[in-house]
């Protein structure tokens, strides 16, 4: 609860607020990891679609440039004429005359049956193929909201465990604040021992000589780096140019 332990600006980014519709930093890290796991599936899907299009293009080229059509025509005419009016001539006409034949042959064929008949995928088929991956990516983006209910469900069935977790978190925050204050004091002390740079001195001189430039040349908090506001407190030491926000001060 905020009345029990108000969170500092640095601590707010490490917690998840269920009523906040925005995706917060701890959730963002988990969501990015889930999206990275979808990249191999996306690359595999692109490879399969590209391979399908490549094979279709090759087969289509073979179909259009390997087509061969054959045309065969032949004529056959046989006629035997027996002259004369004798009995032998009549006999020959009746026997050899049966050999008279006449026919024309025209044959057309092609290798169309042997050629491949490729059929390319339509846009709808490509869309249906990509829909499962799109649904998976959408679930990775939306899953952060159902995950926020896990703590509420666990606290409903295990209230004593929830109380233990809250106390542990409270003590952990106190230890982190104590350690954070110790570390930041050492950092500020080391920073104060170093001589200020030329840019820092020039900026300070400009701010002292032209006060109206403070709106443009705003300083930042020495600890958290928050931009300068009227609530910022300067260091009481006149030789120190450090500035602190209200929370850090």
């Amino acid at each position: 609860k905020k009345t029990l332990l108000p969170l500092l600006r640095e601590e707010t980014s490490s917690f998840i607020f269920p009523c906040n519709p925005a995706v917060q930093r701890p959730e963002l890290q988990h969501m990015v990891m889930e999206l990275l796991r979808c990249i191999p599936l996306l690359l595999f899907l692109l490879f399969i679609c590209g391979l399908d299009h490549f094979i279709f293009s090759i087969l289509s080229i073979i179909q259009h440039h390997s087509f061969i059509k054959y045309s065969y025509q032949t004529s056959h005419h046989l006629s035997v004429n027996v002259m004369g009016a004798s009995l032998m001539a009549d006999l020959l006409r009746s026997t050899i005359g049966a050999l008279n034949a006449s026919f024309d042959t025209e044959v057309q064929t092609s290798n169309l049956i042997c050629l491949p008949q490729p059929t390319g995928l339509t846009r709808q088929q490509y869309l249906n193929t990509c829909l499962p991956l799109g649904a998976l990516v959408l679930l990775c983006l939306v899953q952060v909201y159902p995950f926020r209910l896990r703590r509420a469900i666990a606290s409903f069935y295990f209230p004593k465990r929830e109380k233990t977790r809250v106390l542990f978190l409270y003590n952990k925050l106190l230890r982190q604040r104590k350690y954070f204050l110790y570390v930041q004091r050492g950092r500020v002390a080391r920073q104060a021992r170093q001589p200020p740079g030329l840019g820092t001195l020039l900026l300070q001189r400009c701010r002292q000589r032209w006060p109206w430039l403070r709106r443009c040349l705003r300083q930042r908090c020495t600890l958290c780096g928050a931009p300068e506001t009227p609530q910022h407190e300067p260091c009481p030491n006149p030789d120190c140019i450090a500035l602190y926000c209200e929370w850090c001060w």
Side-chain angles (χ1 to χ4, degrees):
K1 296 183 179 180
K2 295 183 178 180
T3 56
L4 179 63
L5 186 66
L7 296 176
L8 301 180
R9 184 181 292 107
E10 294 81 8
E11 298 171 345
T12 305
S13 59
S14 61
F15 287 91
I16 299 175
F17 297 93
C19 297
N20 189 0
V23 179
Q24 299 161 53
R25 181 179 294 182
E27 298 173 329
L28 185 62
Q29 296 176 356
H30 181 73
M31 184 179 66
V32 170
M33 293 301 299
E34 293 294 334
L35 291 177
L36 290 178
R37 294 177 183 176
C38 297
I39 292 180
L41 295 177
L42 177 62
L43 295 179
F44 177 74
L45 183 62
L46 293 177
F47 172 76
I48 291 298
C49 293
L51 182 63
D52 173 77
H53 182 71
F54 174 75
I55 295 177
F56 170 74
S57 301
I58 295 298
L59 295 179
S60 180
I61 292 174
I62 294 175
Q63 180 188 15
H64 288 85
H65 296 276
S66 299
F67 177 73
I68 299 176
K69 184 177 182 180
Y70 301 92
S71 180
Y72 174 75
Q73 294 180 351
T74 182
S75 298
H76 180 75
H77 299 279
L78 178 62
S79 178
V80 178
N81 295 324
V82 179
M83 308 300 294
S86 62
L87 180 62
M88 183 61 67
D90 294 337
L91 181 62
L92 290 176
R93 289 192 194 95
S94 59
T95 55
I96 300 177
L99 298 176
N100 295 339
S102 177
F103 60 89
D104 297 330
T105 304
E106 182 177 357
V107 178
Q108 291 185 356
T109 183
S110 64
N111 63 342
L112 183 62
I113 301 178
C114 301
L115 293 178
Q117 305 292 331
T119 303
L121 295 178
T122 62
R123 292 184 178 180
Q124 185 64 33
Q125 291 173 332
Y126 278 115
L127 182 61
N128 294 336
T129 305
C130 298
L131 276 179
L133 182 60
L136 180 61
V137 173
L138 183 61
L139 289 177
C140 293
L141 298 176
V142 179
Q143 70 176 355
V144 296
Y145 300 105
F147 280 177
R148 294 179 183 180
L149 301 176
R150 294 181 296 179
R151 190 207 60 82
I153 296 174
S155 62
F156 177 78
Y157 287 101
F158 305 98
K160 294 183 178 180
R161 185 66 177 175
E162 176 69 11
K163 183 178 180 180
T164 305
R165 293 180 66 251
V166 171
L167 292 176
F168 172 80
L169 179 61
Y170 180 79
N171 296 325
K172 179 183 176 181
L173 282 177
L174 291 181
R175 291 193 300 268
Q176 287 180 350
R177 287 187 180 184
K178 184 178 180 180
Y179 181 74
F180 175 77
L181 183 61
Y182 173 77
V183 173
Q184 292 298 331
R185 279 178 177 174
R187 185 178 68 85
V188 173
R190 290 191 302 269
Q191 185 178 355
R193 296 190 193 101
Q194 298 177 359
L198 180 60
T200 305
L201 292 176
L202 182 61
L203 180 63
Q204 191 66 21
R205 294 287 179 84
C206 293
R207 287 170 55 87
Q208 292 177 357
R209 186 164 185 177
W210 298 291
W212 55 273
L213 286 177
R214 294 183 178 181
R215 296 181 178 179
C216 302
L217 305 176
R218 293 193 301 173
Q219 286 184 321
R220 291 184 175 272
C221 177
T222 308
L223 290 181
C224 65
E228 180 183 2
T229 59
Q231 288 74 25
H232 277 53
E233 293 288 343
C235 181
N237 189 351
D239 297 332
C240 182
I241 60 174
L243 192 68
Y244 302 93
C245 65
E246 183 179 3
W247 286 99
C248 297
W249 180 255

